[in-house]
Amino acid sequence: MAIIALVSAKGSPGVTTTALACALSWHRRLVLAECDPAGGSILAGYLGGALDGPRGIGELAVGELRDGNLESAFWSQLVDLDAPKRERLLLPGVVDPAQAGSVIPLWQRFADFFGALEGGDPPYDVVVDCGRLHVVGPPWPILRAASVVLLVSGARLPDLSGTRAMVRTIERDFAEHRVPSGTLRLLLVGDGHGSGEVSKALRLPVIARLPHDPRTAQVLSLGGTVRAGRPLMRAAGALEVPVGALLERRRARLAWPMSQGVPDAV
């Protein structure tokens, strides 16, 4: 699956909640990376600050700038969300705002490293919480490297107004950097306008819709017992299917010229 990035426009709901719900419900071996330069929230929220000592992308960035040791240090900075299986791993985000200055220059380095994890032994996909793009130093290199980018949005008019502008911003950037078409999709959250109506208005396909489930969202934000049967968790788990199908179609499209072979020399 490689890199699946989630991002939102200003004022849109729940990127971190959505990314965490996917990480806890998908069947793939994955790393959830908090790459929001405004700061991570899973350590203090869902995990309740239960870890000893600093850990996460900020520590990795400082070490990389000092020693260039990302490959060797990466695995020691992860948190096992389903211990001891090491199938759902968390790379916590920035907790000290001062760390953002170390992380931002390394977005391309992290993008390249995340992409290589798919070919590791064992392989890992990477679900990346990119937060909101209306911040200083957004992780554009990770979005450009992603196999799928999910733009998380509410479906009410105030949400869609900001999302429309963000769609155009991302599309312009992707065209400029020659990101393959079909990478960007909408992921709607909660009630509001219908998926078909939103897709037509924003000229972008809607991959799925997650239900309004405040009880589960509170657990994912503040900690507690996650119940797999809750509406949000069921919908997040089901999202794995269309995302996987989108990736397979994209891979087949990109591999098609190679499958035709090279004509024999005359």
Side-chain angles (χ1 to χ4, degrees):
M1 228 189 214
I3 300 174
I4 303 96
L6 288 83
V7 67
S8 76
K10 180 179 179 181
S12 293
V15 174
T16 300
T17 299
T18 300
L20 181 56
C22 292
L24 294 175
S25 60
W26 288 7
H27 296 88
R28 301 170 182 271
R29 184 183 289 109
L30 59 83
V31 174
L32 170 57
E34 285 191 286
C35 292
D36 183 350
S41 60
I42 295 178
L43 275 185
Y46 176 68
L47 294 178
L51 297 180
D52 295 327
R55 196 181 304 188
I57 196 168
E59 298 299 311
L60 274 181
V62 171
E64 175 67 9
L65 291 172
R66 183 183 60 239
D67 305 319
N69 64 348
L70 177 59
E71 285 80 2
S72 59
F74 178 74
W75 300 101
S76 68
Q77 294 298 319
L78 303 180
V79 179
D80 193 344
L81 295 174
D82 195 18
K85 298 179 180 179
R86 294 191 68 79
E87 293 180 353
R88 310 174 194 272
L89 302 173
L90 168 69
L91 177 63
V94 171
V95 294
D96 181 349
Q99 289 181 329
S102 299
V103 172
I104 290 170
L106 294 176
W107 287 139
Q108 186 61 60
R109 178 76 170 99
F110 285 121
D112 296 338
F113 183 79
F114 292 161
L117 292 178
E118 183 185 22
D121 184 19
Y124 280 86
D125 300 319
V126 185
V127 175
V128 186
D129 172 6
C130 293
R132 298 172 180 175
L133 288 184
H134 291 291
V135 295
V136 176
W140 279 109
I142 292 176
L143 293 172
R144 296 166 192 150
S147 300
V148 174
V149 176
L150 301 179
L151 180 53
V152 181
S153 175
R156 300 186 186 278
L157 189 57
D159 302 310
L160 297 174
S161 177
T163 300
R164 181 195 298 271
M166 186 53 60
V167 168
R168 304 301 166 240
T169 297
I170 295 174
E171 288 179 336
R172 284 195 299 269
D173 181 88
F174 282 8
E176 179 182 347
H177 291 87
R178 299 183 179 180
V179 175
S181 61
T183 299
L184 182 63
R185 290 291 187 272
L186 286 169
L187 176 59
L188 299 182
V189 177
D191 301 327
H193 294 281
S195 298
E197 184 181 3
V198 172
S199 178
K200 182 178 179 180
L202 272 59
R203 302 197 300 275
L204 186 67
V206 173
I207 194 168
R209 188 175 203 137
L210 302 183
H212 179 62
D213 183 358
R215 289 176 57 187
T216 304
Q218 181 173 354
V219 169
L220 294 172
S221 298
L222 301 177
T225 301
V226 175
R227 302 189 183 280
R230 293 290 302 169
L232 176 56
M233 299 307 297
R234 291 201 308 270
L239 178 61
E240 184 178 9
V241 175
V243 168
L246 178 61
L247 283 168
E248 290 304 318
R249 290 197 300 271
R250 180 186 173 189
R251 285 171 174 160
R253 186 170 63 250
L254 293 176
W256 182 80
M258 299 293 295
S259 67
Q260 305 308 298
V262 178
D264 294 333
V266 178

